[in-house]
Amino acid sequence: MAKGRGSAVVVFVFLSILVLQFEVGSAATFTVGDSKGWTFNVAGWPKGKRFRAGDIIVFNYSPAAHNVVAVNRAGYSTCNAPKGAKVYTSGKDRIKLVKGQNFFLCSFAGHCQAGMKVAITAA
């Protein structure tokens, strides 16, 4: 009887590892703005796309001309990055989405106001 329980534990552990690998391996990668990259008027880019927590979004841009700032809802609405907001400047930023709403903008003068911001909801 003990042998049967040991086999059940082994099967359970194996299935758990398999499920975890599937979850990790199923994350999708999206490029903000598609082939245009991170540029003006990308606010509508997420429309029609399904995002999940753990998906990776890629921001491609010239670091001399733009940046990416992760902000909260208020920062997104007002185009003002709150104190302590994470600023990305590589030009090839890869950001993992968290469950719920994710807000990003460019903090260069006038860029967010010109539509260089994006809100993404991840399930």
Side-chain angles (χ1 to χ4, degrees):
M1 183 157 233
K3 185 177 182 183
R5 279 187 276 175
S7 297
V9 170
V10 169
V11 170
F12 175 76
V13 169
F14 175 75
L15 290 175
S16 297
I17 291 170
L18 189 62
V19 168
L20 286 174
Q21 272 196 327
F22 176 75
E23 286 296 316
V24 170
S26 66
T29 300
F30 297 90
T31 300
V32 176
D34 298 317
S35 62
K36 295 177 188 173
W38 179 230
T39 189
F40 299 99
N41 301 313
V42 294
W45 171 80
K47 188 175 183 177
K49 295 175 179 63
R50 292 178 49 117
F51 301 95
R52 296 179 57 130
D55 285 350
I56 303 295
I57 53 171
V58 179
F59 291 85
N60 291 321
Y61 59 94
S62 167
H66 306 294
N67 65 12
V68 177
V69 184
V71 297
N72 56 22
R73 179 190 298 275
Y76 181 83
S77 297
T78 62
C79 285
N80 289 311
K83 186 176 182 177
K86 175 69 176 159
V87 180
Y88 299 88
T89 59
S90 75
K92 295 192 179 299
D93 307 314
R94 298 175 58 85
I95 302 171
K96 185 184 290 189
L97 294 175
V98 296
K99 186 172 184 166
Q101 295 184 310
N102 298 260
F103 300 98
F104 305 96
L105 57 82
C106 177
S107 67
F108 280 44
H111 289 202
C112 178
Q113 294 83 348
M116 201 164 179
K117 63 182 185 175
V118 66
I120 299 171
T121 302

